[in-house]
């Protein structure tokens, strides 16, 4: 849906991070501040899914915890709802499992 170097609102798309059944997630750089963010863009499901994403974002934006990614804004991307999230550098769970295999219980917890 979005391509690297595409400008969306205040953000420059850097790369796609992942895609699922109803949304795609992109790494994006704020064009003024230079900070990195993740954009979660609804790609399927119509208005009911968009409402669910907004509800998710509203709840998540109120949480402050080191293990919960912060939601900082909501924007529209080509007519689709998108959450602006804190970008967290790191490996995905599938990537970690590919590197290490099964994790010890303490690490998994």
């Amino acid at each position: 849906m979005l391509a690297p170097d595409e400008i969306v609102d205040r953000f420059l798309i850097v790369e796609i991070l992942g895609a699922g059944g109803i949304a795609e997630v992109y790494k994006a750089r704020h064009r003024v501040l230079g900070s990195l963010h993740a954009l979660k863009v609804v790609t399927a499901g119509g208005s009911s899914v968009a409402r669910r994403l907004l509800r998710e974002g509203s709840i998540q934006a109120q949480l402050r915890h080191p293990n919960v990614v912060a939601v900082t804004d909501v924007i529209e991307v080509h007519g689709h709802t998108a959450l602006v999230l804190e970008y967290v550098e790191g490996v995905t769970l599938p990537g970690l499992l590919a590197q290490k295999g099964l994790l010890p219980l303490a690490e998994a917890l």
Side-chain angles (χ1 to χ4, degrees):
M1 181 176 173
L2 300 176
D5 297 326
E6 186 173 342
I7 294 174
V8 175
D9 200 273
R10 299 174 303 275
F11 300 94
L12 175 70
I13 301 301
V14 176
E15 64 181 307
I16 188 164
L17 296 173
I22 63 167
E24 295 175 345
V25 181
Y26 298 88
K27 182 194 281 188
R29 184 173 303 283
H30 193 285
R31 293 173 55 214
V32 175
L33 301 176
S35 52
L36 289 175
H37 300 268
L39 297 182
K40 184 176 184 178
V41 183
V42 173
T43 56
S47 62
S48 65
V49 173
R51 283 193 303 275
R52 194 172 87 203
L53 184 72
L54 287 173
R55 200 168 43 250
E56 169 192 322
S58 177
I59 292 166
Q60 201 171 335
Q62 296 174 47
L63 299 174
R64 294 291 177 261
H65 188 277
N67 296 331
V68 177
V69 174
V71 173
T72 59
D73 204 354
V74 177
I75 63 173
E76 191 171 295
V77 176
H78 304 309
H80 299 276
T81 302
L83 296 180
V84 179
L85 303 124
E86 164 189 22
Y87 175 74
V88 179
E89 185 72 45
V91 64
T92 64
L93 179 57
L96 180 65
L97 293 174
Q99 289 173 4
K100 291 185 156 191
L102 292 176
L103 301 175
L105 180 61
E107 188 174 350
L109 293 174

